[in-house]
Each structure stands twice: as C-alpha cells, then as structure tokens.
C-alpha cells in the first residue's frame, strides 16, 4: 500500500518457499494477505496496519479491522504501527487512560488476540528520543584529545604510572598499571568537569559585572585588563569542551574557533544510538534478551582467546 502524504505505507512480505499468497484485501489503513503453507496446505492470514493518528479516524480504523476479521475463518496475525497504546505505562509521559486506549484493548479482547510482550525497551511509544534500554554496564574507555591539552597532563600521567608498584610477568604489570591510570584519569576528568562548570558560571557573572560598571562610566584600565584575562580563560574552557564533543561526534570540518557545541552534541547522540546493540544473530537465531546477548558475546571471545595447545 502506498504512502498517503507524510504517512508511511504498508509492505507485507513472505518467504515463497514456505507460503503461497491465495487472497488479499486492501483497506484504508490495512493490508491483508491469506497465505497457504506449502508443507501442508493450511491457511492463515496476516494484516499489516498503519493506524491513523487523528482521534476522529480511529473509530473507523477499528471498524475496518472488524470487517477484515469477518472475511476469513483462518488463524489471524496482525501487526504494524497502530498509533495507539493499551496501557498508561506503554507511552512515555502518558498520565491517564483514554477512550481510544480502551477501544484498542477491547478490540484485542473481542477477537481473542495475544499481545506479544515488549522486549528491549521501556515503552512501545516514545516521542523524540529513542526509548532508553537497560544498563549494559560502564561505557568503554576512550582517551579524549582535550584531556592531553590540560596543563601538566603529561607529568600527571607519569606520576600515576610510577605510583603503582606491581610484580609479575610484564604483560600483567602493564595491564595493572593501565587500569590504575584509567581509574585515576576518570576521577580527574570528573573533578575537572565539575570545576569547569562552576568556573564558567563565575567568569560569566564577572564579565557581566565589569560590562555593567563600564556601561555606567565606572570603568578603568584595571577593569579592562581583568576583562581580557577573564575572557581568555572563558574561551579556553569553552574550546576544551568543544574539542571534546567534536571528537565524540567525529565531525571535523567545523572551524576550531566555533564555540557552539549543540551540533556536536546532536552528532554524538546519533553515534551513540547507532553503536548500541539491540539484538544479535547467532547461528541463525535472532537474540534480543540482554542477558542472552551478553552470554553470546562472552562465549565468542572466550573461544577466540582460548588456547588449544602451548
């Protein structure tokens, strides 16, 4: 079914080695296909839906699906975008049960349908940001270029590396030292971000005070010198933040002097969503459960780094 304006269309596909299309029916918001199994000639029918978003059209939507159910007596599978939820907890920010939610729930009950449980997300419907998945543990450690531009950073790294005393095989010693340096670096980054945030507030407040005094005619050379130092420090902190977000977003074509980090925030968020593992396919099976995905990954690397001999 083709799209209508900005609304998406409907596409129903099946494996022709397993199923043969026998009949079809096209409505205003649904597309139904009767399929006959090649193996035993049994029949089912599937309905793909794209529900209307306007409330006044939803009643006609349920009526259309009632008509579809009466067309055939075979087992029925229905799926797609209903543009509706059954319960308050299925939509982010929903606070009350509406008539349309009740109508959706009644439709499922009247036709003895089974609502498949949700997996991998908190909501079936969420505006704007993607639904937040469960915590998958700490994020991977990545060194940021901006950290190395901080004063005394090379000296600080050397002190951390030398501080931890360890004995044993060289690879074990290096691994312990790297983990210790990573831990200390994360602590330093957390403290620095908190300091920079508070420092920016003070600098911006002081810049406003000096500008006000000069506007009132109370400025002098000392104020102008202080303003120059404060602006230089202020720009330095903003530049540090911009470099950090630019690396996270992997966008390199903007000029170094651009202080607007909103674009980099957006690109970094897009990359973070694109890097998330929502499911894995292992040995021909699609896995969506978080614990099962974790187990598959661990087993893969255990086999990869296990030694068969000396």
């Amino acid at each position: 079914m083709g799209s209508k304006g900005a609304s998406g269309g409907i596409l129903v596909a099946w494996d022709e080695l397993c199923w043969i299309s026998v009949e079809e029916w096209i409505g205003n918001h649904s597309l139904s296909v009767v399929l006959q199994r090649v193996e035993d000639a049994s029949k089912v029918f599937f309905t793909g839906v794209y529900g209307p978003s306007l409330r006044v059209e939803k009643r006609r939507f349920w009526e259309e699906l009632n008509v579809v159910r009466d067309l055939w007596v075979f087992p029925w599978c229905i799926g797609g975008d209903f543009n509706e939820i059954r319960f308050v907890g299925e939509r982010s920010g929903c606070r009350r049960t509406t008539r349309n939610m009740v109508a959706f729930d009644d439709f499922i009950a009247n036709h003895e349908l089974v609502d498949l449980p949700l997996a991998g997300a908190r909501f079936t419907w969420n505006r704007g940001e993607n639904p937040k998945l469960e915590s998958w543990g700490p994020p991977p450690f990545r060194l940021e270029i901006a950290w190395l531009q901080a004063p005394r950073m090379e000296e600080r790294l050397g002190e951390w590396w030398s501080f931890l005393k360890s004995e044993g095989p060289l690879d074990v010693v290096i691994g312990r030292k790297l983990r210790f340096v990573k831990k200390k670096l994360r602590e330093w980054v957390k403290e620095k971000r908190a300091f920079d945030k508070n420092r920016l507030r003070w600098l911006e407040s002081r810049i406003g005070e000096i500008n006000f005094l000069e506007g009132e005619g109370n400025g002098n050379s000392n104020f102008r010198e202080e303003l120059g130092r404060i602006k230089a420090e202020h720009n330095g902190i903003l530049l540090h933040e911009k470099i950090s977000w630019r690396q996270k977003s992997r966008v390199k074509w903007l000029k170094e002097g651009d202080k607007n980090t909103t674009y980099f925030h957006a690109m970094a968020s897009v990359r973070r969503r694109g890097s998330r593992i929502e499911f894995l396919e292992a040995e021909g099976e699609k896995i969506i459960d978080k614990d099962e995905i974790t187990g598959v990954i661990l087993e893969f690397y255990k086999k990869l780094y296990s030694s068969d001999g000396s």
Side-chain angles (χ1 to χ4, degrees):
M1 178 189 295
S3 61
K4 299 175 182 178
S7 300
I10 303 174
L11 174 67
V12 177
W14 58 90
D15 186 348
E16 292 185 333
L17 296 178
C18 302
W19 302 94
I20 299 174
S21 173
V22 179
E23 295 182 67
E24 66 179 38
W25 187 88
I26 300 177
N28 292 322
H29 303 286
S30 65
L31 173 61
S32 300
V33 181
V34 178
L35 299 171
Q36 178 176 297
R37 191 189 301 270
V38 173
E39 182 180 354
D40 56 12
S42 61
K43 295 180 181 179
V44 300
F45 74 100
F46 174 83
T47 300
V49 302
Y50 193 98
S53 57
L54 298 178
R55 295 180 179 179
V56 294
E57 296 181 6
K58 287 186 179 291
R59 182 175 58 83
R60 292 192 290 269
F61 174 51
W62 303 124
E63 291 175 351
E64 177 180 315
L65 294 181
N66 289 331
V67 171
V68 172
R69 171 70 270 192
D70 293 336
L71 292 175
W72 301 287
V73 296
F74 313 122
W76 190 23
C77 179
I78 179 171
D81 186 354
F82 289 88
N83 257 319
E84 191 53 77
I85 60 173
R86 295 180 64 192
F87 310 113
V88 172
E90 291 184 337
R91 174 181 291 173
S92 173
C94 185
R95 296 291 182 268
R96 63 184 181 88
T97 301
T98 65
R99 291 182 179 179
N100 289 318
M101 292 165 61
V102 174
F104 188 17
D105 193 51
D106 289 343
F107 169 79
I108 292 175
N110 292 338
H111 294 291
E112 300 180 337
L113 295 169
V114 177
D115 186 10
L116 297 180
L118 178 70
R122 292 178 57 193
F123 307 109
T124 63
W125 194 97
N126 192 67
R127 184 185 299 277
E129 297 181 359
N130 286 348
K132 295 182 179 179
L133 301 181
E134 301 175 75
S135 171
W136 287 64
F141 178 82
R142 293 186 177 91
L143 180 70
E144 294 188 17
I145 298 173
W147 301 346
L148 302 179
Q149 298 179 355
R152 295 185 56 252
M153 177 50 72
E154 186 174 347
E155 179 183 346
R156 188 178 290 110
L157 290 171
E159 291 174 355
W160 291 337
W161 182 267
S162 303
F163 180 82
L164 182 67
K165 307 298 181 183
S166 179
E167 297 181 355
L170 185 58
D171 57 341
V172 175
V173 173
I174 292 176
R176 290 171 181 167
K177 284 180 171 287
L178 284 174
R179 284 191 293 272
F180 179 77
V181 171
K182 180 175 69 173
K183 176 176 177 292
K184 299 298 292 185
L185 189 53
R186 275 181 165 156
E187 293 174 355
W188 174 83
V189 170
K190 185 177 181 180
E191 294 175 358
K192 187 178 188 310
R193 284 174 178 166
F195 174 82
D196 286 349
K197 185 177 181 179
N198 293 328
R199 185 64 176 171
L200 273 176
R201 291 174 181 169
W202 184 88
L203 291 172
E204 290 168 356
S205 174
R206 184 57 181 162
I207 290 173
E209 291 175 0
I210 295 176
N211 287 335
F212 175 79
L213 291 173
E214 289 189 331
E216 294 291 319
N218 298 323
N220 54 49
S221 59
N222 292 332
F223 275 158
R224 284 190 287 275
E225 291 179 5
E226 182 185 0
L227 184 61
R229 293 194 303 270
I230 289 177
K231 284 187 174 181
E233 182 180 357
H234 184 267
N235 290 339
I237 295 177
L238 290 181
L239 180 60
H240 184 279
E241 180 184 359
K242 196 271 298 187
I243 293 174
S244 174
W245 279 105
R246 188 178 70 171
Q247 180 179 347
K248 292 176 184 177
S249 64
R250 294 193 179 179
V251 177
K252 301 180 179 178
W253 54 268
L254 292 184
K255 293 182 179 180
E256 191 71 24
D258 184 1
K259 304 301 186 296
N260 184 4
T261 60
T262 304
Y263 177 73
F264 297 125
H265 275 266
M267 294 303 297
S269 298
V270 169
R271 288 197 63 253
R272 192 177 297 117
R273 287 195 298 269
S275 301
R276 184 174 60 206
I277 300 176
E278 297 192 8
F279 70 88
L280 282 182
E281 187 172 317
E283 299 180 355
E285 180 182 358
K286 185 176 180 180
I287 302 172
I288 59 176
D289 180 75
K290 170 193 149 184
D291 293 333
E292 292 184 15
I293 290 177
T294 303
V296 169
I297 294 175
L298 287 173
E299 189 63 28
F300 172 81
Y301 281 103
K302 281 182 181 178
K303 291 181 180 178
L304 183 64
Y305 292 112
S306 295
S307 175
D308 295 329
S310 59

